[in-house]
Amino acid sequence: MYTHEFQAKQVLKRYSIPIPPFHVVSTMEEVEALMQKSSLQQAVLKVQVHAGGRGKAGGVKLAKNPQEIHQAARELLGKKIVNRQTGPEGLVSHQVLITPLVEIVHEYYLGITIDRRQGREILLASAEGGMDIEEVALQTPDKVLVLPIPFGRELRSYHWLRLMKTMGWTGTLVEQGKQIVNGLITAFKETDATLIELNPLVQTSKEQLIALDVKLSIDDNALFRQPILKGYFDPSQVSPREAQAQQHDLAYVALDGEIGCMVNGAGLAMATMDMIHYYGSSPANFLDVGGGASKEKVAEGFKLILSDPKVKAILINIFGGIMNCETLADGIVSAASELEIHIPLVVRMEGTHVEQGKKRLQESELNIQIAHTFSEAAQSVVKAAKMRGSHGDSC
Ligand code: GDP
Ligand code: MN
């Protein structure tokens, strides 16, 4: 899960990462109130969206007087940012962060993430931070230091030496840098992060290191033990269908094909998508309702699929294990009758009580096509979608 910059800053402040003071506003009235009670003269204003590259997309503005602060806030509140990181639909900024303007002497990059190949956390550091770090990493990878973080989470003296050399930190910057890196390592562990970035971490004209921009992503699988961070979820920053799926604990990924899929088990869901491709079509989504899917989950899954106008036919591929086929068939029948499905529905079932399950489907009044094998199911649904496509009707 992504967090907003202001949320990440709130979190990292607790780990002795130096963060300049900031305010978050969501209306012009709030800007007015802030300007009346503070003595803010010069500020940087930044859109709050779940994407980086805001500076280059016009989402970061420097204001040299109160009038410019008002002007920038008016421009940024409600602004839509569209870049490679937001995707073509873009993301709207409902909040704007306002922070005093800092004089920058140097911009650094500092980050921690997981290297899955090594199976460990790595520290990334570069003296060429700022808006072009991706370019730096691509063109001159030797300018980015990559240090594996030891399992005890304490850097060794040779790690520190390499880090200081890369960053060019001497004098008072050495201690400040150490405190920041140690804070990041602890924060990474305690927040169950998958990524923390300070970019830029800057040196000010007063020889201080401070983090001007902060990014924090949390492992979704750890959110159950991170109640505060879980509360940071912002549905306005994900597609409506993905937000709905998250609410009902369904693993859903929107894709751009025409076959809606509902499957129990991630492996089976992947195989189902492969089979749809194999027979000449493509899936509109990945949806894993889980091994112990209840009737309610099946109903929510249906609603998600049906709300996607691209879907021309639905394939349900179920393996009855934890939940037997009969119970699942009941769930499908009741959800399908409630929702009035007007597009072809193909069901393939296998596993415990499969005969009873198929019987339930046959006995229902619904127009369900029962497939007896995986390939038959995939072929039928692709054929049904193609026929529908050629008739040119949609629901
Ligand atoms: P990003 O483009 O989404 O990564 O947004 P950032 O918050 O990193 O801002 C982009 C750039 O704006 C930074 O690299 C800085 O050069 C500049 N910037 C951000 N905050 C300040 C500030 O307080 N003072 C100054 N002078 N520049 C800033
Ligand atoms: Mn940045």
Side-chain angles (χ1 to χ4, degrees), residues 122-141:
I122 50 171
L123 180 76
L124 300 158
S126 176
E128 310 221 352
M131 294 198 278
D132 290 315
I133 187 67
E134 283 87 357
E135 240 357 76
V136 173
L138 215 59
Q139 305 296 338
T140 46

Side-chain angles (χ1 to χ4, degrees), residues 54 199-200 213:
R54 296 164 303 168
N199 187 34
D213 184 22

Side-chain angles (χ1 to χ4, degrees), residues 213-226:
D213 184 22
V214 162
K215 192 173 277 179
L216 171 67
S217 299
I218 312 295
D219 184 348
D220 288 341
N221 296 310
L223 287 174
F224 74 94
R225 61 181 184 195
Q226 298 287 354

